[in-house]
Amino acid sequence: MGRLFGTDGIRGVAGRDLTAELAMDLSVAAAHVLGDAGAFTATGHKRPVAVVGRDPRASGEFLEAAVVAGLASSGVDVLRLGVLPTPAVAHLTAALGADLGVMLSASHNPAPDNGIKFLARGGFKLSDTVEDEIERRLGERWDRPVGAGVGRVREAYGEADRYISHLLDTLGGRLDGLNIVVDCANGAASVVAPEALLRAGAQVEAIGARPDGLNINAGCGSTHLDKLQQVVVSRGADLGIAYDGDADRCLAVDHTGAVVDGDQIMAILALAMHEENRLARNTVVATVMSNLGFKLAMREAGIEVVQTAVGDRYVLEAMKADGYTLGGEQSGHVILLDHATTGDGLLTSLHLLSVVARSGRSLRDLAEVMTALPQILINVKDVDRSKAAAPELSEAVAAAEAELGETGRVLIRPSGTEPMIRVMVEASSEEQASRVAGRLADVVRSACV
């Protein structure tokens, strides 16, 4: 059995890969590991406290029940937050003084999938070491509390307002006059995102905001921007915002329907923070997937770029280690560490909209700060991701890099959650990038089976 934890928690098809039994066992092990590590001390509680949230997937109902049962049977008091974004659960873990947070979501994956993400005190993601210890202690024998020792469970659905208030408190001004369309992916942000934007002063039309448990990410949200683009243009809106299923990231479209990706959003925020002397150490943290055009734009503005491996957890580690305040990914995970412990799509969108409102410039104009080099990404599915360093593939990558020279780059990356290898190529022309990426994808298919 391989490692359960991927780059962002544990994911799989709910009921088959991610069963109620596994969810319960993981929760028990997590309670024991964090307790042994001293995470449950100095909180003032007679028993440790956990907060549990989920996105609106149908499978989240039985998985939530299993997680709550595992925690309470381990002697942990549980606050059930209901349907909320991942960053809301992270914020409330800290704001409510909880010892542990649990989020049930598979983010941008289709409805049959689900996942479990654990958060430590303060709302931070767990390290690889702690995750490995949770796996090691799965199924171990333990002394079960009884009577007054078992955890108690109560609903805390009203805490959503605490999260919205936190978001609004981070803004320096209102969004009056902005006409926006927001696509909530029929996911966790379906209620809180429109409410937060309305309370900030924007005129809001919400789409993808009627979750039924099965329609999350289905032709909507940050992975399917077509509908948002159409509505923004047809309504004459100033711009559109799209979240993913658990709303830990966002993308945008300008008034013409053109996509504004995570690199462009980070560039806009970095420049605004730089001008206001709020960009710590004059540095932004990005991953190796960020477009070379982003790095060139930041260099032109006198802003340093620190690169990490792919995954917002690695971005966060670099930010915490060296005191940076802004980082993120091209996919739209953006971390504003002064205000959040993880990527937060709602927070990001509010601050992006705030720059638009304060500057009086259109999102299209602001996004022109960077010119993206042509970038082709091919997801080669149903391959052995452990063979991403196969000699045949390494030779092909070396040849491609020699062909591209200094005008492009190649990145081969195995997926952290699926049997897939991602092939990314940047080049001076889209034709060259597409040709080289296609050639490398063929090598992956033959060498990684």
Side-chain angles (χ1 to χ4, degrees):
M1 182 177 178
R3 189 175 190 267
L4 283 174
F5 285 92
T7 55
D8 201 21
I10 297 169
R11 290 188 195 173
V13 177
R16 186 178 70 195
D17 306 317
L18 183 55
T19 63
E21 294 86 350
L22 177 58
M24 183 181 293
D25 289 346
L26 281 165
S27 299
V28 171
H32 292 165
V33 169
L34 293 172
D36 289 346
F40 294 152
T41 62
T43 64
H45 299 292
K46 294 181 180 179
R47 285 186 295 263
V49 175
V51 296
V52 178
R54 65 181 181 89
D55 72 22
R57 294 166 206 266
S59 60
E61 297 169 1
F62 79 77
L63 288 172
E64 178 190 48
V67 166
V68 170
L71 292 170
S73 69
S74 302
V76 179
D77 287 343
V78 181
L79 303 178
R80 295 175 62 232
L81 301 175
V83 174
L84 277 180
T86 292
V89 176
H91 172 73
L92 291 170
T93 300
L96 296 174
D99 304 283
L100 174 68
V102 187
M103 178 65 187
L104 298 164
S105 176
S107 188
H108 58 280
N109 287 24
D113 292 351
N114 216 321
I116 300 179
K117 185 183 304 183
F118 294 103
L119 300 163
R121 292 187 67 213
F124 289 100
K125 293 182 178 181
L126 305 184
S127 66
D128 289 341
T129 302
V130 175
E131 289 179 342
D132 288 341
E133 180 66 5
I134 291 173
E135 286 198 32
R136 189 184 70 80
R137 295 182 63 173
L138 275 172
E140 70 176 357
R141 295 177 63 87
W142 54 290
D143 294 328
R144 300 171 183 268
V146 297
V150 301
R152 305 301 297 271
V153 182
R154 68 180 177 88
E155 296 179 352
Y157 299 150
E159 296 298 341
D161 189 67
R162 186 192 298 263
Y163 170 61
I164 294 174
S165 296
H166 157 69
L167 294 175
L168 299 178
D169 287 344
T170 69
L171 293 180
R174 291 180 55 78
L175 307 180
D176 299 291
L178 284 182
N179 180 5
I180 66 173
V181 180
V182 57
D183 185 342
C184 300
N186 289 316
S190 294
V191 173
V192 293
E195 175 68 16
L197 293 164
L198 284 168
R199 284 170 55 176
Q203 181 178 340
V204 181
E205 177 175 350
I207 62 175
R210 294 184 177 180
D212 62 12
L214 301 175
N215 61 357
I216 187 170
N217 300 314
C220 57
S222 62
T223 53
H224 303 278
L225 294 171
D226 293 356
K227 178 66 177 298
L228 178 63
Q229 292 170 304
Q230 294 169 5
V231 176
V232 166
V233 173
S234 65
R235 301 292 194 273
D238 294 314
L239 57 99
I241 299 290
Y243 306 107
D244 64 338
D246 69 336
D248 64 350
R249 63 176 169 170
C250 75
L251 295 177
V253 300
D254 66 26
H255 69 281
T256 71
V259 175
V260 177
D261 69 12
D263 283 341
Q264 292 167 299
I265 291 172
M266 281 197 296
I268 293 169
L269 294 178
L271 287 178
M273 294 171 69
H274 175 63
E275 292 171 359
E276 298 168 1
N277 295 315
R278 294 189 296 111
L279 188 63
R281 302 185 64 178
N282 202 34
T283 299
V284 60
V285 181
T287 77
V288 293
M289 285 295 289
S290 278
N291 193 281
L292 184 57
F294 171 75
K295 294 182 66 176
L296 295 175
M298 294 298 95
R299 182 189 303 170
E300 179 69 20
I303 296 173
E304 297 291 329
V305 176
V306 170
Q307 284 193 306
T308 73
V310 175
D312 61 332
R313 63 186 300 174
Y314 303 114
V315 172
L316 179 59
E317 286 175 4
M319 293 175 70
K320 290 172 61 180
D322 294 307
Y324 303 127
T325 51
L326 176 64
E329 298 185 281
Q330 187 184 60
S331 60
H333 285 110
V334 176
I335 302 172
L336 293 159
L337 198 53
D338 282 343
H339 309 299
T341 60
T342 186
D344 188 332
L346 274 70
L347 179 70
T348 299
S349 63
L350 284 165
H351 281 255
L352 176 66
L353 292 166
S354 181
V355 175
V356 173
R358 294 197 314 269
S359 68
R361 299 166 63 187
S362 69
L363 179 59
R364 182 179 182 84
D365 186 27
L366 291 169
E368 289 177 351
V369 64
M370 66 164 279
T371 301
L373 293 183
Q375 185 182 80
I376 298 296
L377 176 64
I378 299 178
N379 294 323
V380 186
K381 300 181 179 180
D382 300 320
V383 295
D384 187 346
R385 62 187 182 186
S386 69
K387 295 183 178 180
E392 183 181 347
L393 181 55
S394 297
E395 292 174 6
V397 169
E401 289 175 335
E403 176 184 337
L404 295 172
E406 296 183 356
T407 62
R409 65 187 181 112
V410 174
L411 181 65
I412 305 294
R413 184 175 71 88
S415 169
T417 58
E418 303 173 74
M420 178 169 65
I421 293 177
R422 306 181 196 279
V423 177
M424 191 278 286
V425 175
E426 284 178 348
S428 56
S429 72
E430 186 167 356
E431 184 277 330
Q432 184 183 33
S434 181
R435 173 167 46 81
V436 173
R439 190 168 70 230
L440 290 173
D442 289 339
V443 176
V444 170
R445 294 186 185 97
S446 63
C448 303
V449 294

